[in-house]
């Protein structure tokens, strides 16, 4: 008999309301206005669920619409629903699909985030996932009044401590703490089922208990998408799923081998992490129609005012080195 384990692909859907292609909303087939549309999201989540996708991911580039400049006026994806609110609505309309919310650990507080995830997990019957991000956009930093730059290393340290504290808060109640309200004694819960937190870290402090039962899953499913050295190490230690953006099969294989090889030192088995490389698709009835559609989208991209991080790149050749 074969000793090999049964392996199964994990499929995640990552939608942006206006498409991943920068010219998606400029295509003549796009005829809607720019108002938020809950029904669009619910319909998409239901389609993904019917198609047996494992997870429905809501990205969050918090605050990126905080300035009006040449680039921001071109990008409708800077405007998006806050993930917990959106996924709570989707939770009520779906049954099986995992619901992954992005939370940036630079702009949130662990106690609030612990409550939000346990609420989403209970609302959805144990389907919550957390895409942990620690990116720091200067525009967003200004939105939050953050003046001193936070180094890349520090952001990941803060994210690790953030997770440590949220886990401690979720662990502050036993799984069954609220399963046996005792009308006889008048005790809604057994005091022994609560475990107050006393956390003093470098970035966060917290004392006390979470004000809601532990998530059904214990913790939400941890997802991560960092690609740097620190990001890969973080994924190996914390993540159960990573979003990677490989540009070729070789790059994808190297990433896979590298991240998985870092797990053992954290006492983790390689099977505890699913790697889901991104795949951008253009859908049409036939191959040719899909190619044509892609060509139309590419032709709609305006390369005349290209910039990155405030730097004008328009004078560089498009396919040449920077
Ligand atoms: C598929 C995918 C989805 C991502 N989603 C988000 C997101 O929703 N919000 C965000 O701030 N960053 C997002 N990122 C960026 C990553 O969290 C991370 O900042 C980036 O990959 C750089 O990682 P590094 O700092 O380790 O190099 C995403 C990256 C990928 C590949």
């Amino acid at each position: 008999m074969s000793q090999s384990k049964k392996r199964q692909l994990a499929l995640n859907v990552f939608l942006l309301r206006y498409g991943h292609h920068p010219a998606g909303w400029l295509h003549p087939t796009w005829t809607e206005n720019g108002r938020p549309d809950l029904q669009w999201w619910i319909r998409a989540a239901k389609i993904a669920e019917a198609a047996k996708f494992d997870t429905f991911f809501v990205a969050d580039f918090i605050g990126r619409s905080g300035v009006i400049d040449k680039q921001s006026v071109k990008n409708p994806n800077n405007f998006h629903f806050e993930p917990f609110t959106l996924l709570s609505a989707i939770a009520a309309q779906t049954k099986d699909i995992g619901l992954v919310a992005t939370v940036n650990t630079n702009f949130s507080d662990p106690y609030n985030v612990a409550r939000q995830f346990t609420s989403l997990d209970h609302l959805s019957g144990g389907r919550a996932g957390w895409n942990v991000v620690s990116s720091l956009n200067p525009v967003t930093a200004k939105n939050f009044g953050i003046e001193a730059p936070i180094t890349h290393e520090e952001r990941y340290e803060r994210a690790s401590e953030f997770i440590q504290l949220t886990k401690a808060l979720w662990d502050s109640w036993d799984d069954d703490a609220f399963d046996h309200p005792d009308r006889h004694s008048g005790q809604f819960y057994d005091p022994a089922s609560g475990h107050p937190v006393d956390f003093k870290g470098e970035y966060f402090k917290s004392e006390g208990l979470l004000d809601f039962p532990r998530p059904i899953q214990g913790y939400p499913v941890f997802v991560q998408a960092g690609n740097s050295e620190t990001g890969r190490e973080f994924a190996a230690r914390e993540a159960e799923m990573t979003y990677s953006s490989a540009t070729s099969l070789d790059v994808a294989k190297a990433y896979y081998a590298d991240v998985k090889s870092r797990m053992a030192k954290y006492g983790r088995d390689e099977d505890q992490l699913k790697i889901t490389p991104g795949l951008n698709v253009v859908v049409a009835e036939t191959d040719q129609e899909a190619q044509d559609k892609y060509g139309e989208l590419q032709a709609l991209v305006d390369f005349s005012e290209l910039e990155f991080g405030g730097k004008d790149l328009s004078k560089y050749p498009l396919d040449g080195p920077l």
Side-chain angles (χ1 to χ4, degrees):
M1 212 170 72
S2 161
Q3 292 297 308
S4 65
K5 283 181 243 164
K6 183 169 177 258
R7 301 179 73 209
Q8 196 160 353
L9 276 176
L11 295 173
N12 169 76
V13 62
F14 173 12
L15 293 177
L16 295 175
R17 171 77 173 103
Y18 300 93
H20 280 265
H21 195 283
W25 71 283
L26 299 173
H27 195 265
T29 51
W30 182 272
T31 55
E32 294 174 49
N33 66 30
R35 283 176 183 272
D37 183 352
L38 174 63
Q39 294 313 318
W40 182 89
W41 283 99
I42 288 177
R43 196 167 64 89
K46 284 183 164 175
I47 292 171
E49 181 168 73
K52 306 289 180 207
F53 276 80
D54 293 86
T55 44
F56 189 81
F57 162 52
V58 174
D60 192 22
F61 297 97
I62 186 168
R64 215 161 55 171
S65 49
V67 286
I68 298 175
D69 62 17
K70 283 180 192 166
Q71 294 306 313
S72 77
V73 294
K74 292 181 189 171
N75 189 353
N77 283 318
N78 279 347
F79 300 89
H80 47 70
F81 273 111
E82 184 286 311
F84 283 110
T85 323
L86 176 61
L87 286 172
S88 300
I90 292 175
Q93 301 280 332
T94 52
K95 209 161 72 31
D96 298 315
I97 197 162
L99 306 170
V100 181
T102 299
V103 173
N104 190 315
T105 52
N106 295 314
F107 311 113
S108 305
D109 175 81
Y111 194 93
N112 283 333
V113 171
R115 309 176 75 207
Q116 285 167 311
F117 272 113
T118 190
S119 295
L120 181 62
D121 205 55
H122 282 276
L123 279 174
S124 63
R127 291 187 279 143
W130 176 4
N131 176 38
V132 186
V133 303
S134 56
S135 45
L136 189 75
N137 180 306
V139 172
T140 314
K142 283 192 183 157
N143 291 152
F144 285 84
I146 299 173
E147 280 162 16
I150 315 175
T151 65
H152 188 257
E153 205 72 16
E154 273 176 321
R155 282 188 266 131
Y156 273 109
E157 276 171 21
R158 186 185 153 100
S160 296
E161 198 178 295
F162 199 114
I163 291 178
Q164 214 186 326
L165 175 51
T166 48
K167 282 183 173 171
L169 288 163
W170 291 319
D171 289 339
S172 68
W173 293 106
D174 287 345
D175 282 316
D176 62 350
F178 300 94
D179 291 355
H180 315 285
D182 188 347
R183 287 176 185 82
H184 224 68
S185 67
Q187 282 196 337
F188 186 60
Y189 62 85
D190 177 354
S193 63
H195 314 283
V197 168
D198 184 7
F199 188 93
K200 289 185 185 64
E202 198 172 324
Y203 302 92
F204 305 105
K205 285 195 182 75
S206 182
E207 277 178 51
L209 298 116
L210 199 61
D211 57 358
F212 205 59
R214 191 156 200 262
I216 293 173
Q217 300 177 95
Y219 306 138
V221 171
F222 284 98
V223 184
Q224 204 266 350
N227 194 32
S228 57
E229 266 295 303
T230 331
R232 289 173 184 219
E233 208 57 39
F234 183 87
R237 196 174 61 240
E238 310 284 356
E240 290 158 283
M241 185 188 267
T242 67
Y243 298 143
S244 65
S245 47
T247 46
S248 72
L249 187 58
D250 286 342
V251 172
K253 283 178 165 174
Y255 171 83
Y256 184 101
D258 179 65
V259 175
K260 294 250 175 175
S261 73
R262 296 170 189 247
M263 294 176 71
K265 64 176 173 294
Y266 299 112
R268 300 186 71 204
D269 192 280
E270 290 192 4
D271 289 345
Q272 287 176 271
L273 173 67
K274 295 276 187 192
I275 294 184
T276 55
L279 181 69
N280 222 330
V281 286
V282 178
V283 181
E285 292 288 329
T286 66
D287 225 30
Q288 190 54 51
E289 281 178 61
Q291 293 293 350
D292 292 348
K293 198 161 150 190
Y294 181 63
E296 286 162 18
L297 286 167
Q298 290 293 84
L300 288 168
V301 178
D302 174 10
F303 290 108
S304 64
E305 290 173 331
L306 212 57
E307 61 176 43
F308 183 73
K311 303 246 178 335
D312 178 16
L313 303 182
S314 54
K315 53 184 181 293
Y316 294 94
L318 269 185
D319 294 321
L322 273 182

